[in-house]
Amino acid sequence: MTELVRLDAEREDQFTALYRSDFDRVLALVYALSGSRVAAEEIVQEAFTAAHREWARIAGYRDPGAWVRAVAMNHARSRVRRRAAEARALVRLRAR
């Protein structure tokens, strides 16, 4: 189980502001990459959870939202690659 880090009130407010301002934008980006609304929502939640866990470090970045977008895009790409590999494996199994 992943334990969320407790943030002080000011940092929690900063994180909440980022979440509210960027969630829809990151969701649209990941949806475009994944093609699945459900998968996109899951990936974006994972990215924001990672951001919350690392907030003490990334809060000082010039654009913490860029970090969230990069994490979300990496998760989406990994999922697409995994799905493609699974599809190729199924095709090979059917051929046997």
Side-chain angles (χ1 to χ4, degrees), residues 9-75:
E10 181 180 350
R11 287 196 173 172
E12 188 68 42
D13 289 345
Q14 292 169 345
F15 176 81
T16 300
L18 173 72
Y19 184 87
R20 286 183 178 150
S21 70
D22 286 24
F23 183 88
D24 289 338
R25 211 173 343 177
V26 178
L27 181 62
L29 174 66
V30 175
Y31 177 66
L33 290 171
S34 70
S36 166
R37 171 83 182 197
V38 172
E41 288 174 348
E42 184 178 313
I43 290 167
V44 172
Q45 287 298 338
E46 290 171 5
F48 275 103
T49 298
H52 189 272
R53 196 177 319 111
E54 299 293 327
W55 192 248
R57 180 173 54 93
I58 69 169
Y61 291 0
R62 187 174 58 90
D63 184 4
W67 187 93
V68 173
R69 288 188 300 277
V71 168
M73 287 174 38
N74 288 339
H75 281 282

